[in-house]
Amino acid sequence: MFEVLFAHIKNKVDVSETQETELKSFFVSKKLRKKQYLLQEGDVCKNLSFVSKGLLKSYFLDEKGNEHINMFAFEGWWISDFNSFINQENAVLTIDAVEETELLMINREDYEKMMLQIPVMDRYFRILYQNSLVTKDYRLIVSSGYTAEEKYTQLAQNSPELIKRLPHNLIASYLGLAPETISRVRKKLSLKD
């Protein structure tokens, strides 16, 4: 389980074998069945979770009960309601498993201890947070200024794994489109090929 996490960390910063051993003590593992909740809206997010295997979605429901997906997390991704995790406030997001999933989770107290005891992890998370801000800015631009075809094409180019693993309705929710629109776009793009 830790192999995926350590590969991800080493892709950003250097950690020693001693630090790897120390890091293991901060995490607990958890398995989720398909459609099982990791976090429900209104609960306090107690853990920051790393996906070792599987796929999760993070979303909110509007007043009509429609699901609006703000992110997917598959192997090598972190997921949480970060505001709830950091500030220990009620979550506005719900997170559940799209596939059977294996996680490594760290609670708030251990997260803070880890940052103090293994300073390179502070740098690692700073890099992740910077990348996350860049991604969120880009996602806002795409969602506001791109056509349905451009949105789908961008997702297919940037995250082909998601296109292969997700049903149309989840892709549509993530892109802010109707499922029928995704079907039309896919058909149109397949005719171009």
Side-chain angles (χ1 to χ4, degrees), residues 18 91 96 135:
T18 304
D96 66 35
T135 300

Side-chain angles (χ1 to χ4, degrees), residues 2 19 23 29 33 52 58 97 101 107 124 158 174 176 193:
F2 280 94
Q19 288 170 323
L23 278 169
S29 63
R33 296 177 315 280
S52 295
S58 170
T101 301
N107 66 39
Y124 166 74
N158 296 332
Y174 178 70
D193 293 339

Side-chain angles (χ1 to χ4, degrees), residues 62-103:
D62 65 20
E63 64 281 347
K64 294 179 182 175
N66 296 317
E67 191 175 276
H68 298 274
I69 298 172
N70 76 318
M71 81 171 280
F72 294 104
F74 53 91
E75 295 84 3
W77 284 63
W78 290 91
I79 192 164
S80 76
D81 181 315
F82 200 66
N83 180 59
S84 177
F85 176 71
I86 292 298
N87 297 313
Q88 293 298 281
E89 297 175 355
N90 291 345
V92 297
L93 298 171
T94 297
I95 301 171
D96 66 35
V98 177
E99 302 172 352
E100 285 190 18
T101 301
E102 296 177 7
L103 302 167

